Amino acid sequence: MQNIFAKTTFMQGVLNINKAPPDEGCEFVLAGRSNAGKSSALNCLAKNKKLARTSKTPGRTTEINFFKVTDEIKLVDLPGYGFSKMSLDKKKNLDILLDNYFSLRQSLRAAIIFMDIRHPLKNSDIQMMEFCNRHGVPFISVLTKSDKVSSSGISKATKDIEEKLDSQSVIVTSSKNDEGFDKLSKKIIKFLE
């Protein structure tokens, strides 16, 4: 299968939804805690290690970053949530930005929620899922960093989450081993059919 994400390029980062690229085609939001490995996952999906900047300091991104996959498809990288050292003002602005994005973007098809397999379903992840449900946006649950746990650990985490999410299937990935990204691509492409 041809990788449609292979030509993904950075478009722009915005702090105001009115400055976002035109609201057309299909958009997929990438969400996750500040240290869930979202940037590495984006780089693996696109097979380009330099596409999204990865940082040792969680919470560096404060903008919504738009990436062009094709003329029809965009990936939209949200700032990581969780324990970033963000001022209350910045956090408030970010909440408004996210709310505006989810309320106003007609092209939003689904959210992809990345969780570290060792610490899945934290309160902030559950809040993000509830936020998606409130806005009627379907989400794909992705467990990252599977190379950090044993195969029995992977099975246990997957089973636990699928039970808690009412048997919604979970995709397991590892940026280190490039695992699970074909499965994730296929899942995203399903939303385009």
Side-chain angles (χ1 to χ4, degrees):
M1 185 184 88
Q2 188 205 357
N3 178 10
I4 64 161
F5 299 97
K7 290 193 165 85
T8 301
T9 52
F10 176 71
M11 292 174 81
Q12 67 184 98
V14 302
L15 289 166
N16 181 328
I17 207 63
N18 298 328
K19 298 209 164 72
D23 188 1
E24 55 196 27
C26 301
E27 289 180 354
F28 295 90
V29 148
L30 310 177
R33 280 167 56 79
S34 296
N35 59 342
K38 187 163 53 79
S39 299
S40 302
L42 172 56
N43 290 346
C44 274
L45 197 58
K47 306 273 187 271
N48 176 356
K49 289 202 179 336
K50 295 190 172 106
L51 183 63
R53 288 195 303 264
T54 56
S55 167
K56 292 269 185 270
T57 317
R60 287 298 280 276
T61 310
T62 53
E63 299 177 316
I64 292 185
N65 288 315
F66 287 81
F67 294 86
K68 178 184 171 180
V69 178
T70 66
D71 287 339
E72 284 297 301
I73 306 165
K74 291 188 284 293
L75 293 176
V76 183
D77 190 16
L78 301 183
Y81 49 78
F83 59 75
S84 62
K85 296 182 177 72
M86 201 182 278
S87 71
L88 284 175
D89 272 357
K90 263 195 178 159
K91 192 181 178 324
K92 197 173 155 204
N93 290 344
L94 190 56
D95 289 346
I96 293 167
L97 181 62
L98 292 187
D99 215 48
N100 285 340
Y101 177 80
F102 274 80
S103 309
L104 301 172
R105 293 299 272 193
Q106 300 296 309
S107 46
L108 176 56
R109 290 291 169 273
I112 303 158
I113 300 176
F114 294 93
M115 298 175 280
D116 184 328
I117 195 163
R118 297 163 301 175
H119 323 284
L121 287 181
K122 292 275 191 200
N123 280 344
S124 47
D125 297 317
I126 292 163
Q127 282 167 359
M128 189 70 209
M129 290 168 182
E130 287 168 352
F131 186 73
C132 287
N133 289 336
R134 245 194 338 272
H135 287 279
V137 175
F139 61 85
I140 302 166
S141 304
V142 177
L143 293 177
T144 61
K145 308 185 184 186
S146 65
D147 51 281
K148 308 265 191 208
V149 292
S150 65
S151 52
S152 62
I154 292 171
S155 307
K156 184 186 180 311
T158 307
K159 192 165 166 281
D160 284 355
I161 288 176
E162 286 175 349
E163 276 173 13
K164 284 178 182 142
L165 295 183
D166 203 18
S167 75
Q168 184 197 340
S169 67
V170 173
I171 294 172
V172 177
T173 65
S174 162
S175 302
K176 198 174 177 187
N177 309 331
D178 210 15
E179 258 172 62
F181 291 99
D182 284 347
K183 203 171 175 184
L184 179 56
S185 312
K186 284 179 186 148
K187 188 98 174 186
I188 294 170
I189 289 163
K190 265 200 155 30
F191 281 95
L192 304 170
E193 288 164 4

